[in-house]
Amino acid sequence: KAAKTFRKSIKLCDKLPFGFYNLALVLLRSNDAFGGAQHALKAVECLGPLHSTSSGVHDQTWAECYSLAFKAFYSALHKSPATAMSIEPPWWNDGDLRRISKIIVEKLASDADAWEMRAW
C-alpha cells in the first residue's frame, strides 16, 4: 500500500526527490533491490547535476539521497550484477565516490550507511 501511495505522489510531482526516495525505501524493505535502486537513483537525478546544487551547498536531502542511492545500487549489484549494471550511475567510479562520500559523512556523521559508502 505504501508503494502505491508513493507512486501516486510521484505522478503528482516528479520534479522533487521525496516521492522517489520514499518509494525506494519501501521497495528495499520489500527486498526489491533493483526497484529500490532505480527509484533511489531517480531521486538523485531530481537533485540536478552532481557537481552543484541550487544553493551551492550540499544539504541534508542531497546527502540522504546519495547515501540511499549508493546503498540501493550496491545491494542490486550484489543480487544481480548484470541487471544492476543496466542502471549504473555515472558517479559510480572511485573519484566521484570518494568525493561524494566525504560530503555525505560530513552531513550524516551518525549514519552507518554514510560510513559504509565512505569505507567502500
Side-chain angles (χ1 to χ4, degrees), residues 3 7 10 19-43 68-69 71-73 75-77 79-80 83-84 86-87:
R7 281 186 170 87
I10 290 167
F20 294 106
Y21 178 90
N22 288 313
L23 180 55
L25 285 174
V26 168
L27 294 172
L28 287 169
R29 289 178 182 153
S30 299
N31 206 27
D32 180 357
F34 185 74
Q38 284 180 302
H39 288 88
L41 293 170
K42 187 66 178 167
L68 180 64
K71 177 182 178 178
F73 184 73
S75 177
L77 194 59
K79 288 191 176 194
S80 178
T83 304
S86 71
I87 60 167

Side-chain angles (χ1 to χ4, degrees), residues 38-68:
Q38 284 180 302
H39 288 88
L41 293 170
K42 187 66 178 167
V44 165
E45 283 179 32
C46 291
L47 297 171
L50 169 64
H51 305 290
S52 66
T53 62
S54 59
S55 65
V57 178
H58 298 98
D59 63 9
Q60 179 106 3
T61 300
W62 184 95
E64 289 174 353
C65 286
Y66 269 94
S67 180
L68 180 64

Side-chain angles (χ1 to χ4, degrees), residues 60 63-65 67 103-112 114-115:
Q60 179 106 3
E64 289 174 353
C65 286
S67 180
I103 297 166
I104 291 172
V105 165
E106 290 170 1
K107 297 291 179 189
L108 308 174
S110 63
D111 184 272
W115 285 100

Side-chain angles (χ1 to χ4, degrees), residues 13-20 43 46:
C13 183
D14 66 353
K15 303 292 184 229
L16 296 174
F18 309 109
F20 294 106
C46 291

